[in-house]
Every structure is written in structure tokens, then in C-alpha cells.
Amino acid sequence: MSQVTVFYGLYGSGKSEVSINYALRLAREGRAVTIVDLDAVTPYFRVRDVRERLLEEGVRVVAPKESIRHADLPVLPEGIRRILMHGEGDIVVDVGGDPTGARVLGGLKDALRPGARGLFVLNAMRPFSRTLDEAEEAVDRVTSSAGLPPGGLVSNTHLGELTRIEHISSGLKFAEALGLRLGLPVVMVGVPAHLKSQEEELAKALRGVRPLYLERYLLKPWEIAE
Amino acid sequence: MSESLLMKGNEALAEAAIRAGCRFYFGYPITPQNEISEYMARRLGEHGGVFVQAESEVSSINMVYGAAGAGGRVLISSSSPGISLMQEAISYIAGAELPCVIVNMSRGGPGLGGIQPSQSDYFQSTKGGGHGDYRLIVLAPATIQEGCDLMATAFDLADKYRNPVMILGDGMIGQMMEPVVFPEVLDAASLPHKPWATTGNEGRERNIISSIYLDPEELDAHNWRLEEKYRKVRENEVRYEILHGDDAEWFFVAYGTVARICTAVIQRLRKDGVKVGLIRPISLWPFPDEAFEKVVDRAKGFLTVEMSTGQMVEDVRLAVNGRKPVYFYGRTGGAVPTPRSVERRLRDMIDGKAPSQTDYFDRVGGAKK
């Protein structure tokens, strides 16, 4: 069964890295995957900026065409409706941040096939997601703007390189508490790859929820090794 | 002390400004700094502040003039073309001796240019920009934490010297995310009293804020008084960081994003035993000549790396003053020097392969790896 998975959330919650890593995981499991860059609000650090890397691993990339990659315009990929409606294999959609970015999906919701799953990406170390009230408001505003009710939460609480197991653990508890309020399951926990080796502590923190190990693909200029 | 948060540079600067007592923000949207306006629009009201998105940059910077004249802590932010539009009023603000903080998250120019990061506004920021004999104090953060810390410094310096202060970032500093720790929100009662502000003249002579001096003698005196103030700034407000100053023979000179790239390259080169260090100006004006005095005797050469065709390098040459070779490597327009390309330029310099001090970038700059 092919599956459409939409990642949305606030600015900087980690949607793009989650989308990229999720698409790559599906591809490595042998599935046909298309990743859709639907971010019309972020100028840097977007899926389209690592197009080549994704293509290398057999992930199809749907993004605004290369010649206008740096245009300061809210450009949508060509044929986006057809791809959302009839595209084959799994489709992973990276939506722009905040209600502003999610509005783009709102304009395409008639093209989303039934069963499309909206996953709200949550980082409790980010502004406007610090308390359950704030996070609840964020889910409400973003998902209404997107026109797609949430089907689950992705706990992606982290502090970049400074992320420790405690952040994963407290982030998951926070996401579960939010899920309880909203009647939503926590379906995935983002775990920075550098924590992978701490197996025992990680298992305790995750309590059975499936981790999505996050390699970083959207690098700062000084992190690029070439 | 509060805990770390993961912040985009733009959001972090906005939050740091609020915590430093900023209660007035005026702006007009432009990429790549819009998160500053968005954050202020959402948060400033919670602190009893005023946010206005004006109809243009010209309008918003003149609102800064007004709010600063009334004694507020005022922030404005934009990116390169927007900052160009503001230059007339920035000159007025400096002429009228009003404090404010201006953020420039610069992008590629000239003209409309592009929206990717750039450092080609160095001349505009440090050498005038607008008309007349005035200076901006210009601070250039290399990390988001440093940007937050410098925001508080910027407001303090602006009030102390009654002069506009610019935080010069680039799009990368604005858009990237790093963990930061913020100070507590400053108690408004602790802010400096401004007896010159136009706050209503009950019980005192009226204050007048203006930059008009029609009498040449008066304007001359005003300008020399400003210059005396700038002399104090040069003496007291130089900020910089030197890496490996104790043993380095070769020095990168870089600020902001490019300093981060050079730092990564230094780690790599040092593993190979190359004695390389970094001079990182934090205050671009006043320029830290002093940092060069500390190392120039031992140094064999300096490699200035910028996202421009060579702007700060002129100040580096003035500071080094012919005593040692100064080379330059630059990329522009949103192209960011890669660590590998920076490393190669440094190795070329050490190996004596740099063609000349003045045309180094012409020969090996550009898109060539």
C-alpha cells in the first residue's frame, strides 16, 4: 500500500530533516519514494538544496525547478496536483513552517488522496512550543491552515549537537501529554544519529515508540566536508 | 540562568532585543531577515511594546528617528537593499545623536542581487553609507549566542554614545539554528535616564532634536564634537577574538559566517601541523587594529577571506601597513567559500604560490575550486 505522509509544524521544528530522513528510510527499505518540497516560505536549508543527494539514493524529488531555486517567490513544483493525486509509491511531503507555510497545502487539499496522513512535528526546545498550551495552539493553527487534520505527532525535541538522551525522553513525555489532550498518538521520535550508540538509555527513553534516526543533510557551510 | 533553546539567528536577535529593553520595532519585510519582524509582531505586544510594519523602509527608519528621539530603546532590521533605502535617515539619526540598533542580515548585491548570504555591505556599514561625517558602531556576530550577547551590548553602546549601532550579520547567521541561552528580561527601571529626550517639557526647558546646523561655524563645531565622541569609541569599544595567537605564523582574517568556515579549516590544518590562526574582528567599526599589533611581528602572512570582492581587506592592509603580506580570497553573491577552497588558498599562500597581494582573488577566486 502506498502512503502519503505530510510533515507540518512550526518554523524550525525539523520538518525538512525529518522528511528527508523518513524518505531515505523508506527508500532503503526498498520502497519507491517521492519527496515533495512544498516549502514556499524558507529561503535556506530546504529539501531542494540536497536534491542530488536524494536522487543518488533513488528518492524522486519534486521541487520548484532548478533555474528558479533561489527566486524570492512562493513557487510551487510543476505538476504538484497530479503527483499528489496519482503519484506512484510512497509520497513524503515537506510543508513550509507556521500557518503561513502550511497555507500552501491548504490550497492543494482537494488533491490529497483519502488516507493521507498529517504528522505534526514538535520540538519543545523551540519558541512557541514551550508549554502544552502553546503547542496545542500551534497544532490547531498550522493544521487548520493546511486543511489537513493531524493524524499523529512526531516528537522531535532536540538542541542540535547538544542533544542528550534527557531531551529525547522529556520531549517524548511532552508530546504524549499533548497527544492526550488532542487525542493523537505519538507515531515517531526523531533521534539525532549521534545518540544511536547509547542503546540502553535510548531504549529506556523511547519506551517502545519507534525512533527515526536523524542524520543531518542540511548542513552549515563549515560542516560541509566535500 | 535559564536553559538553552534552539533558535534561528533572526528569532534569537529579536528575543535578545526584547530582553535588552527594546520596546519599539519598525520594519518592512525583506528576505532573509523576516523572522525578526514576525517574532517581534508576535512577542513585542506581550511586553507592552509597539510593533509597526510601515509602508516602506524609508518610513520605518523615520519612525525609528521619532521613537529614539522620545527616549525608547528601538530596533529596526532589514537586509541589504532595504538598508540602502534607509541611509538618509541613518545619517539624520547619527547627526541628531539618537541611539538605536539596526540589524542588517545582508544578502548578495549590488542592486536587487539575490537572497543568499553575503558580506558585501562592509563598506556601507563601516565607511558611511549615508552622507556626512558620521560613524556607525558595527558589530558582527559569528554565532547565534554571540548575536544575542551583542544585542544587549549594542543597546548599551547606542545609549552610551547616543549613536546608531549596527549588527551586521549575513543571511546564514539569520537563518541557521543553534542553541542559545538568554539573559533575564532587563528591568525597565535599570535603563539609563535620557534627559535629552522629547518626553514633554513640563518643569524644564524644551528639548529639541534636530540635525540642522545652518551656520558653518556651528556645524563645524558639531562635527568635531561628534569626531571627539568617535575617538572615544575607537579607544574603548574595539572587540575581536584571536585564535592560536600564541604560536600561529599564518593568520586568517574573517568575520561572521566566514570566520566559522576558517575556524573549521584551522582545526583541519592544525592536525597536519600547520601553524595557522585567526583574527576575527567583532567590532568592524572601530576596526581592531590592536589585534594585528599583537601578532604582526611573528606573523608570516595574513589571508583575508570574505563573501565580497575585497572590502574588509582594505582595513586589514591599513592595520598591517605593509609590514607583512596580506592576501585575499572571496566569493560573492551568495556563493559561500567552501572549507576546502579556503584551505587551498592558505596552503597556496604558505607555499609562495599566491600571485600577488592585490590580484590574488582575480587569478584564483571565482568559481574555480
Coordinates of all heavy atoms in Angstrom, one line a residue, chain A residues 10-14 41-46 69-73 98 100 123-130 134 137-138 141 158-162 219-226, chain B residues 3-8 11 30-32 35 38-39 42-43 46 106-107 115-117 142 170-172 175-180 257 260-261 264 268 336-341 369:
Chain A
L10 N 5.7 24.1 13.2 CA 6.2 25.5 13.2 C 7.6 25.6 12.5 O 8.2 24.6 12.3 CB 6.4 25.9 14.7 CG 5.1 26.0 15.5 CD1 5.4 26.5 16.9 CD2 4.1 26.9 14.8
Y11 N 8.0 26.8 12.2 CA 9.3 27.1 11.7 C 10.4 26.4 12.5 O 10.3 26.5 13.8 CB 9.7 28.6 11.8 CG 9.1 29.5 10.8 CD1 8.8 30.8 11.2 CD2 8.9 29.1 9.5 CE1 8.3 31.7 10.2 CE2 8.4 30.0 8.6 CZ 8.1 31.3 8.9 OH 7.6 32.2 8.0
G12 N 11.3 25.7 11.9 CA 12.5 25.2 12.6 C 12.2 24.1 13.5 O 13.0 23.7 14.4
S13 N 11.0 23.4 13.4 CA 10.7 22.2 14.2 C 11.5 21.0 13.7 O 11.5 20.0 14.4 CB 9.2 22.0 14.3 OG 8.7 21.9 13.0
G14 N 12.0 21.1 12.5 CA 12.8 20.0 12.0 C 12.1 19.2 10.9 O 12.5 18.1 10.6
V41 N 8.2 29.2 2.0 CA 8.5 30.4 2.8 C 9.9 30.4 3.4 O 10.3 31.4 4.0 CB 7.5 30.4 4.0 CG1 6.1 30.7 3.6 CG2 7.5 29.1 4.8
T42 N 10.7 29.4 3.2 CA 12.0 29.3 3.8 C 13.1 29.6 2.7 O 13.1 28.8 1.7 CB 12.3 28.0 4.4 OG1 11.2 27.7 5.3 CG2 13.5 28.0 5.3
P43 N 14.0 30.5 2.9 CA 15.0 30.8 1.8 C 16.2 29.9 1.8 O 16.8 29.7 0.8 CB 15.4 32.3 2.1 CG 15.2 32.5 3.6 CD 14.0 31.6 3.9
Y44 N 16.6 29.3 3.0 CA 17.7 28.4 3.0 C 17.3 27.1 3.7 O 16.3 27.0 4.3 CB 18.9 29.0 3.9 CG 19.3 30.4 3.6 CD1 20.3 31.0 4.4 CD2 18.9 31.2 2.5 CE1 20.8 32.3 4.2 CE2 19.4 32.5 2.3 CZ 20.3 33.0 3.1 OH 20.8 34.3 2.9
F45 N 18.2 26.1 3.6 CA 18.1 24.9 4.3 C 16.8 24.2 3.9 O 15.9 23.9 4.8 CB 18.1 25.1 5.8 CG 19.4 25.7 6.4 CD1 19.4 26.9 6.9 CD2 20.6 25.0 6.2 CE1 20.5 27.5 7.4 CE2 21.8 25.6 6.7 CZ 21.7 26.9 7.3
R46 N 16.6 23.9 2.6 CA 15.4 23.3 2.1 C 15.7 21.9 1.4 O 16.8 21.7 1.1 CB 14.7 24.2 1.1 CG 14.3 25.6 1.7 CD 14.2 26.6 0.6 NE 15.3 26.7 -0.2 CZ 15.5 27.5 -1.2 NH1 14.5 28.4 -1.4 NH2 16.6 27.5 -2.0
R69 N 15.5 28.1 -8.2 CA 15.6 27.6 -6.9 C 15.8 28.7 -5.9 O 15.4 28.7 -4.8 CB 16.8 26.6 -6.8 CG 17.2 26.2 -5.4 CD 17.8 24.8 -5.5 NE 19.2 24.8 -6.0 CZ 20.3 24.9 -5.2 NH1 20.2 24.9 -3.9 NH2 21.5 24.9 -5.8
H70 N 16.5 29.8 -6.3 CA 16.8 30.9 -5.4 C 15.9 32.1 -5.6 O 16.2 33.2 -5.1 CB 18.3 31.3 -5.5 CG 19.3 30.2 -5.2 ND1 19.3 29.6 -3.9 CD2 20.2 29.6 -5.9 CE1 20.2 28.7 -3.9 NE2 20.8 28.7 -5.0
A71 N 14.8 31.9 -6.3 CA 13.9 33.0 -6.5 C 13.2 33.3 -5.2 O 12.9 32.4 -4.4 CB 12.9 32.7 -7.6
D72 N 13.0 34.6 -4.9 CA 12.4 35.0 -3.7 C 10.9 35.1 -3.9 O 10.2 36.1 -3.8 CB 12.9 36.4 -3.3 CG 12.6 36.7 -1.8 OD1 12.1 35.8 -1.1 OD2 12.8 37.9 -1.4
L73 N 10.3 33.9 -4.3 CA 8.9 33.9 -4.7 C 8.4 32.6 -4.2 O 9.1 31.6 -4.1 CB 8.8 33.8 -6.2 CG 9.2 35.1 -7.0 CD1 9.3 34.7 -8.5 CD2 8.2 36.2 -6.8
D98 N 4.9 27.1 10.1 CA 3.9 28.0 10.6 C 2.6 27.9 9.8 O 2.6 27.3 8.7 CB 4.5 29.4 10.7 CG 5.3 29.7 11.9 OD1 5.8 28.7 12.5 OD2 5.5 30.9 12.3
T100 N 1.5 30.2 8.0 CA 1.9 30.8 6.7 C 2.3 29.8 5.7 O 1.9 29.8 4.6 CB 3.0 31.9 6.9 OG1 2.7 32.6 8.1 CG2 3.1 32.8 5.8
N123 N 9.1 20.3 18.3 CA 10.4 20.4 19.1 C 10.1 21.4 20.3 O 9.9 22.6 20.1 CB 11.5 21.0 18.2 CG 12.8 21.1 19.0 OD1 12.8 20.9 20.2 ND2 13.9 21.4 18.3
A124 N 10.0 20.8 21.5 CA 9.7 21.6 22.7 C 10.8 22.5 23.1 O 10.6 23.3 24.1 CB 9.3 20.6 23.8
M125 N 12.0 22.5 22.4 CA 13.0 23.4 22.8 C 13.0 24.6 21.9 O 13.9 25.4 21.8 CB 14.4 22.7 22.6 CG 14.6 21.4 23.3 SD 14.3 21.5 25.1 CE 15.8 22.4 25.6
R126 N 11.9 24.8 21.1 CA 11.7 25.9 20.2 C 10.7 26.9 20.7 O 9.8 26.5 21.5 CB 11.3 25.4 18.8 CG 12.3 24.6 18.1 CD 13.2 25.5 17.3 NE 12.5 26.3 16.3 CZ 12.8 27.5 16.0 NH1 13.8 28.1 16.5 NH2 12.1 28.2 15.1
P127 N 10.9 28.2 20.3 CA 9.9 29.1 20.8 C 8.5 28.7 20.3 O 8.3 28.1 19.3 CB 10.3 30.4 20.1 CG 11.5 30.1 19.3 CD 11.9 28.7 19.5
F128 N 7.5 29.2 21.0 CA 6.0 28.9 20.7 C 5.7 27.4 20.8 O 4.6 27.0 20.3 CB 5.7 29.5 19.3 CG 6.1 30.9 19.0 CD1 7.1 31.2 18.1 CD2 5.6 31.9 19.8 CE1 7.5 32.5 17.9 CE2 6.0 33.2 19.6 CZ 7.0 33.5 18.7
S129 N 6.5 26.6 21.4 CA 6.2 25.2 21.6 C 6.7 24.8 23.0 O 6.9 23.7 23.3 CB 6.9 24.3 20.6 OG 6.8 24.7 19.3
R130 N 6.8 25.8 23.9 CA 7.5 25.6 25.2 C 6.5 25.0 26.2 O 6.9 24.4 27.2 CB 8.1 26.9 25.7 CG 9.1 27.5 24.8 CD 10.4 26.8 24.8 NE 11.0 26.9 26.1 CZ 11.7 25.9 26.7 NH1 11.8 24.8 26.1 NH2 12.2 26.1 27.9
E134 N 0.8 26.5 24.4 CA 1.4 27.0 23.2 C 1.4 25.9 22.1 O 1.0 26.2 20.9 CB 2.9 27.4 23.4 CG 3.1 28.8 24.0 CD 4.5 29.2 24.0 OE1 5.4 28.3 24.0 OE2 4.8 30.4 24.1
E137 N -2.0 25.3 20.6 CA -2.4 26.4 19.7 C -1.7 26.2 18.4 O -2.3 26.4 17.3 CB -2.0 27.7 20.4 CG -2.6 28.9 19.6 CD -2.0 30.2 20.0 OE1 -1.4 30.3 21.1 OE2 -2.0 31.2 19.1
A138 N -0.4 25.8 18.5 CA 0.4 25.7 17.2 C -0.2 24.6 16.3 O -0.4 24.8 15.1 CB 1.8 25.4 17.6
R141 N -3.5 25.9 14.8 CA -3.3 27.0 13.8 C -2.7 26.4 12.5 O -3.1 26.7 11.4 CB -2.4 28.1 14.3 CG -3.2 28.9 15.4 CD -2.3 30.0 16.0 NE -2.0 31.0 15.0 CZ -0.8 31.6 14.8 NH1 0.2 31.2 15.6 NH2 -0.6 32.5 13.9
H158 N 14.9 18.5 20.4 CA 16.4 18.4 20.3 C 17.0 19.8 20.4 O 16.3 20.8 20.3 CB 16.8 17.7 19.1 CG 16.7 18.5 17.8 ND1 17.7 19.3 17.3 CD2 15.6 18.8 17.0 CE1 17.3 19.9 16.2 NE2 16.0 19.6 16.1
L159 N 18.3 19.8 20.7 CA 19.1 21.0 20.8 C 20.3 21.0 19.8 O 21.4 21.4 20.2 CB 19.6 21.1 22.2 CG 18.9 22.0 23.2 CD1 19.7 22.1 24.5 CD2 18.7 23.4 22.7
G160 N 20.0 20.4 18.7 CA 21.2 20.3 17.7 C 22.2 19.3 18.3 O 21.9 18.3 18.9
E161 N 23.5 19.8 18.1 CA 24.6 18.9 18.6 C 24.6 18.7 20.1 O 25.2 17.7 20.6 CB 25.9 19.5 18.2 CG 26.2 19.5 16.7 CD 27.3 20.5 16.3 OE1 28.1 20.9 17.2 OE2 27.3 20.8 15.1
L162 N 23.9 19.5 20.8 CA 23.9 19.4 22.3 C 22.8 18.5 22.8 O 22.6 18.3 24.0 CB 23.7 20.8 22.9 CG 24.8 21.9 22.6 CD1 24.5 23.1 23.4 CD2 26.2 21.4 22.8
L219 N 23.3 21.1 5.8 CA 24.5 21.5 6.6 C 24.8 22.9 6.5 O 24.5 23.6 5.5 CB 25.7 20.6 6.1 CG 25.5 19.1 6.3 CD1 26.7 18.4 5.7 CD2 25.3 18.7 7.7
K220 N 25.5 23.5 7.6 CA 26.0 24.8 7.5 C 27.3 24.8 6.7 O 27.9 23.7 6.6 CB 26.3 25.3 8.9 CG 25.0 25.4 9.8 CD 25.2 25.4 11.3 CE 23.9 25.3 12.0 NZ 24.1 24.8 13.4
P221 N 27.7 25.9 6.1 CA 28.8 25.9 5.2 C 30.1 25.3 5.8 O 30.8 24.6 5.0 CB 29.1 27.4 4.9 CG 27.8 28.1 5.2 CD 27.1 27.3 6.3
W222 N 30.3 25.5 7.1 CA 31.6 25.0 7.7 C 31.5 23.5 8.0 O 32.5 22.9 8.4 CB 32.0 25.8 8.9 CG 30.9 26.0 9.9 CD1 30.6 25.2 11.0 CD2 29.9 27.0 9.9 NE1 29.5 25.7 11.6 CE2 29.1 26.8 11.0 CE3 29.7 28.1 9.1 CZ2 28.1 27.6 11.4 CZ3 28.6 29.0 9.4 CH2 27.8 28.7 10.5
E223 N 30.3 22.9 7.9 CA 30.1 21.5 8.2 C 30.3 20.6 6.9 O 30.3 19.4 7.0 CB 28.7 21.2 8.8 CG 28.6 21.9 10.1 CD 27.1 21.8 10.6 OE1 26.2 21.8 9.7 OE2 26.9 21.9 11.8
I224 N 30.4 21.3 5.8 CA 30.5 20.5 4.5 C 31.9 20.0 4.3 O 32.8 20.8 4.2 CB 30.0 21.4 3.3 CG1 28.6 21.8 3.6 CG2 30.2 20.7 2.0 CD1 28.1 22.9 2.6
A225 N 32.1 18.7 4.3 CA 33.5 18.1 4.2 C 33.9 18.0 2.7 O 35.1 18.1 2.5 CB 33.5 16.8 4.8
E226 N 33.0 18.0 1.8 CA 33.3 17.8 0.4 C 33.8 16.4 0.1 O 35.0 16.1 0.3 CB 34.3 18.8 -0.2 CG 33.6 20.2 -0.3 CD 34.6 21.2 -0.6 OE1 35.1 21.8 0.3 OE2 34.9 21.5 -1.8
Chain B
E3 N 17.5 27.9 30.7 CA 18.1 26.8 29.9 C 18.2 27.2 28.5 O 17.8 28.2 28.0 CB 17.1 25.6 30.1 CG 15.7 25.9 29.6 CD 14.8 24.8 29.6 OE1 15.2 23.6 29.5 OE2 13.6 25.0 29.8
S4 N 18.9 26.3 27.7 CA 19.1 26.5 26.3 C 17.8 26.4 25.5 O 17.0 25.6 25.8 CB 20.1 25.5 25.8 OG 21.4 25.7 26.3
L5 N 17.7 27.2 24.5 CA 16.6 27.0 23.5 C 17.3 26.9 22.1 O 18.4 27.4 21.9 CB 15.7 28.2 23.5 CG 14.8 28.4 24.6 CD1 14.0 29.7 24.4 CD2 13.8 27.2 24.7
L6 N 16.6 26.2 21.2 CA 17.1 26.1 19.8 C 16.5 27.3 19.0 O 15.3 27.3 18.9 CB 16.7 24.8 19.2 CG 17.4 24.4 17.9 CD1 18.9 24.3 18.1 CD2 16.8 23.1 17.4
M7 N 17.3 28.2 18.5 CA 16.8 29.4 17.9 C 17.4 29.6 16.5 O 18.6 29.4 16.3 CB 17.0 30.6 18.7 CG 16.5 30.6 20.1 SD 14.7 30.8 20.2 CE 14.5 32.6 20.0
K8 N 16.6 30.1 15.6 CA 17.1 30.7 14.4 C 17.8 32.0 14.8 O 17.3 32.7 15.7 CB 16.0 31.0 13.4 CG 15.6 29.9 12.5 CD 14.7 30.5 11.4 CE 14.3 29.5 10.4 NZ 13.7 30.0 9.2
E11 N 15.3 35.0 15.0 CA 14.4 34.9 16.1 C 15.2 35.3 17.4 O 14.7 36.0 18.3 CB 13.9 33.5 16.3 CG 13.1 32.9 15.2 CD 12.9 31.4 15.3 OE1 13.8 30.8 16.0 OE2 12.0 30.9 14.7
I30 N 11.7 41.9 4.1 CA 12.7 41.5 3.1 C 13.4 40.2 3.5 O 13.8 40.1 4.7 CB 13.7 42.7 2.8 CG1 14.6 42.3 1.6 CG2 14.5 43.0 4.0 CD1 15.4 43.5 1.1
T31 N 13.6 39.3 2.6 CA 14.4 38.1 2.8 C 15.8 38.5 2.9 O 16.3 39.3 2.1 CB 14.1 37.1 1.7 OG1 12.7 37.0 1.5 CG2 14.7 35.8 1.9
P32 N 16.7 37.9 3.7 CA 16.4 36.7 4.6 C 16.3 37.1 6.1 O 16.9 36.5 6.9 CB 17.6 35.9 4.4 CG 18.7 36.9 4.1 CD 18.1 38.1 3.6
E35 N 12.1 36.7 9.8 CA 11.7 36.1 11.1 C 11.9 37.1 12.3 O 11.3 37.0 13.3 CB 12.6 34.9 11.4 CG 12.3 33.7 10.5 CD 13.1 33.8 9.2 OE1 13.8 34.8 9.0 OE2 13.0 32.8 8.4
E38 N 8.6 39.0 12.2 CA 7.5 38.1 12.6 C 7.5 37.8 14.1 O 6.5 37.8 14.7 CB 7.6 36.7 11.8 CG 7.3 36.9 10.3 CD 7.5 35.6 9.6 OE1 6.9 34.5 10.0 OE2 8.2 35.6 8.6
Y39 N 8.7 37.6 14.6 CA 8.9 37.3 16.0 C 8.5 38.6 16.8 O 7.7 38.5 17.8 CB 10.3 37.0 16.3 CG 10.6 36.3 17.7 CD1 10.5 34.9 17.8 CD2 10.8 37.1 18.8 CE1 10.7 34.3 19.0 CE2 11.0 36.5 20.0 CZ 11.0 35.1 20.2 OH 11.1 34.5 21.4
R42 N 4.8 39.1 17.0 CA 4.1 38.2 17.9 C 4.4 38.5 19.4 O 3.5 38.3 20.2 CB 4.5 36.8 17.5 CG 3.7 35.8 18.2 CD 3.3 34.6 17.3 NE 2.7 33.6 18.1 CZ 2.8 32.3 17.9 NH1 3.5 31.9 16.9 NH2 2.1 31.5 18.6
R43 N 5.7 38.9 19.7 CA 6.1 38.9 21.1 C 6.1 40.3 21.7 O 6.0 40.4 22.9 CB 7.5 38.3 21.2 CG 7.6 36.8 21.1 CD 7.2 36.2 22.5 NE 7.6 34.8 22.6 CZ 6.8 33.8 22.8 NH1 5.5 34.0 23.0 NH2 7.3 32.6 22.9
E46 N 3.3 41.5 24.0 CA 3.2 40.8 25.3 C 4.0 41.6 26.3 O 3.8 41.4 27.5 CB 3.8 39.4 25.2 CG 3.0 38.4 24.3 CD 3.7 37.1 24.1 OE1 4.7 36.8 24.7 OE2 3.2 36.3 23.2
S106 N 22.7 40.6 5.8 CA 23.0 41.0 4.4 C 22.9 39.9 3.4 O 23.1 38.7 3.7 CB 24.3 41.7 4.4 OG 25.3 40.8 4.8
R107 N 22.6 40.3 2.2 CA 22.4 39.3 1.1 C 23.2 39.9 -0.1 O 23.7 41.0 -0.1 CB 20.9 39.2 0.7 CG 20.2 40.5 0.4 CD 18.7 40.4 0.3 NE 18.3 40.6 -1.1 CZ 17.1 40.6 -1.5 NH1 16.1 40.3 -0.7 NH2 16.8 40.8 -2.8
I115 N 19.1 36.4 -2.7 CA 18.7 36.3 -1.3 C 19.6 35.4 -0.5 O 19.3 35.1 0.7 CB 17.2 35.8 -1.2 CG1 17.1 34.4 -1.8 CG2 16.3 36.7 -1.8 CD1 15.8 33.7 -1.5
Q116 N 20.7 35.0 -1.0 CA 21.7 34.2 -0.3 C 22.7 35.1 0.4 O 22.9 36.2 0.1 CB 22.4 33.2 -1.3 CG 21.4 32.3 -2.0 CD 20.7 31.3 -1.0 OE1 21.3 30.8 -0.1 NE2 19.3 31.2 -1.1
P117 N 23.4 34.5 1.4 CA 24.2 35.3 2.3 C 25.4 36.0 1.6 O 26.0 35.5 0.7 CB 24.8 34.3 3.3 CG 24.7 33.0 2.7 CD 23.5 33.1 1.8
A142 N 29.5 35.9 15.1 CA 29.8 34.7 14.3 C 29.0 33.5 14.8 O 28.9 32.4 14.1 CB 31.3 34.3 14.5
D170 N 24.9 38.0 8.3 CA 24.6 37.7 6.9 C 23.4 36.7 6.9 O 23.1 36.2 8.0 CB 25.8 37.1 6.2 CG 26.3 35.9 6.9 OD1 25.6 34.9 6.8 OD2 27.4 35.9 7.4
G171 N 22.9 36.4 5.8 CA 21.7 35.6 5.7 C 21.9 34.2 6.5 O 21.0 33.7 7.1
M172 N 23.1 33.7 6.4 CA 23.4 32.4 7.1 C 23.2 32.6 8.6 O 22.6 31.7 9.3 CB 24.8 31.9 6.8 CG 25.1 30.5 7.2 SD 23.9 29.3 6.5 CE 24.3 29.4 4.7
Q175 N 19.5 32.7 9.3 CA 18.6 31.6 9.0 C 19.0 30.3 9.8 O 18.2 29.4 10.0 CB 18.7 31.3 7.5 CG 18.0 32.3 6.7 CD 16.5 32.4 6.9 OE1 15.8 31.4 7.2 NE2 15.9 33.6 6.9
M176 N 20.3 30.2 10.1 CA 20.7 28.9 10.8 C 20.2 28.8 12.2 O 19.8 29.8 12.8 CB 22.2 28.8 10.7 CG 22.9 29.7 11.7 SD 24.7 29.4 11.6 CE 25.3 30.5 12.9
M177 N 20.2 27.6 12.7 CA 19.7 27.4 14.1 C 20.9 26.9 15.0 O 21.6 26.1 14.6 CB 18.6 26.4 14.1 CG 17.3 27.0 13.5 SD 16.0 25.8 13.2 CE 15.8 25.2 14.8
E178 N 20.9 27.5 16.2 CA 21.9 27.0 17.2 C 21.2 27.1 18.6 O 20.4 28.0 18.8 CB 23.2 27.8 17.2 CG 24.1 27.5 16.0 CD 25.4 28.3 15.9 OE1 25.4 29.4 16.4 OE2 26.3 27.8 15.4
P179 N 21.7 26.3 19.6 CA 21.2 26.5 20.9 C 21.7 27.8 21.5 O 22.9 28.2 21.3 CB 21.8 25.3 21.7 CG 22.5 24.5 20.7 CD 22.7 25.3 19.5
V180 N 20.9 28.5 22.2 CA 21.3 29.8 22.9 C 20.7 29.8 24.3 O 19.7 29.2 24.6 CB 20.8 31.0 22.2 CG1 21.6 31.2 20.9 CG2 19.3 31.0 21.9
T257 N 30.0 34.5 9.4 CA 29.9 33.1 8.8 C 31.3 32.6 8.3 O 31.7 31.5 8.6 CB 28.9 33.1 7.7 OG1 27.6 33.2 8.2 CG2 29.0 31.8 6.9
R260 N 33.6 31.2 10.9 CA 33.2 29.8 11.3 C 33.9 28.9 10.3 O 34.4 27.8 10.7 CB 31.7 29.6 11.3 CG 30.9 30.5 12.2 CD 31.1 30.1 13.7 NE 30.5 28.8 14.0 CZ 29.2 28.7 14.4 NH1 28.4 29.7 14.6 NH2 28.7 27.5 14.7
I261 N 33.8 29.2 9.0 CA 34.5 28.3 8.0 C 36.0 28.3 8.2 O 36.5 27.2 8.3 CB 34.2 28.9 6.6 CG1 32.6 28.8 6.3 CG2 34.9 28.1 5.5 CD1 32.2 29.6 5.1
A264 N 36.9 26.0 11.1 CA 36.8 24.6 10.8 C 38.1 24.2 10.0 O 38.6 23.2 10.3 CB 35.6 24.3 10.0
R268 N 41.4 21.5 10.9 CA 42.0 20.5 10.0 C 43.5 20.7 9.7 O 44.2 19.8 9.8 CB 41.2 20.7 8.7 CG 41.3 19.5 7.8 CD 39.9 19.3 7.0 NE 39.8 20.2 5.9 CZ 38.6 20.3 5.2 NH1 37.6 19.6 5.6 NH2 38.5 21.1 4.2
V336 N 29.2 30.7 -1.1 CA 29.9 30.7 0.2 C 31.2 30.0 0.0 O 31.2 28.9 -0.5 CB 29.0 30.1 1.3 CG1 29.7 30.1 2.7 CG2 27.7 30.8 1.4
P337 N 32.3 30.5 0.5 CA 33.6 29.8 0.3 C 33.5 28.4 1.0 O 33.0 28.3 2.2 CB 34.6 30.7 1.0 CG 34.0 32.0 1.2 CD 32.5 31.8 1.2
T338 N 33.9 27.4 0.3 CA 33.9 26.1 1.0 C 35.1 25.9 1.8 O 36.2 26.5 1.5 CB 33.9 24.9 -0.1 OG1 35.1 25.0 -0.9 CG2 32.6 25.1 -1.0
P339 N 35.0 25.1 2.9 CA 36.2 24.8 3.7 C 37.4 24.4 2.8 O 38.5 24.8 3.0 CB 35.8 23.7 4.7 CG 34.3 23.9 4.8 CD 33.9 24.4 3.4
R340 N 37.2 23.5 1.9 CA 38.2 23.0 1.0 C 38.9 24.1 0.2 O 40.1 24.2 0.1 CB 37.7 21.9 0.1 CG 38.7 21.2 -0.7 CD 39.6 20.3 0.2 NE 38.8 19.2 0.7 CZ 39.3 18.3 1.7 NH1 40.5 18.5 2.2 NH2 38.5 17.3 2.1
S341 N 38.1 25.0 -0.3 CA 38.7 26.1 -1.2 C 39.5 27.1 -0.3 O 40.5 27.6 -0.7 CB 37.6 26.8 -1.9 OG 36.8 27.6 -1.1
K369 N 37.7 25.8 -8.0 CA 37.8 25.1 -6.7 C 39.1 25.5 -6.1 O 40.1 25.4 -6.7 CB 37.6 23.6 -6.8 CG 36.2 23.2 -7.1 CD 35.4 23.0 -5.8 CE 33.9 22.9 -6.1 NZ 33.1 22.8 -5.0

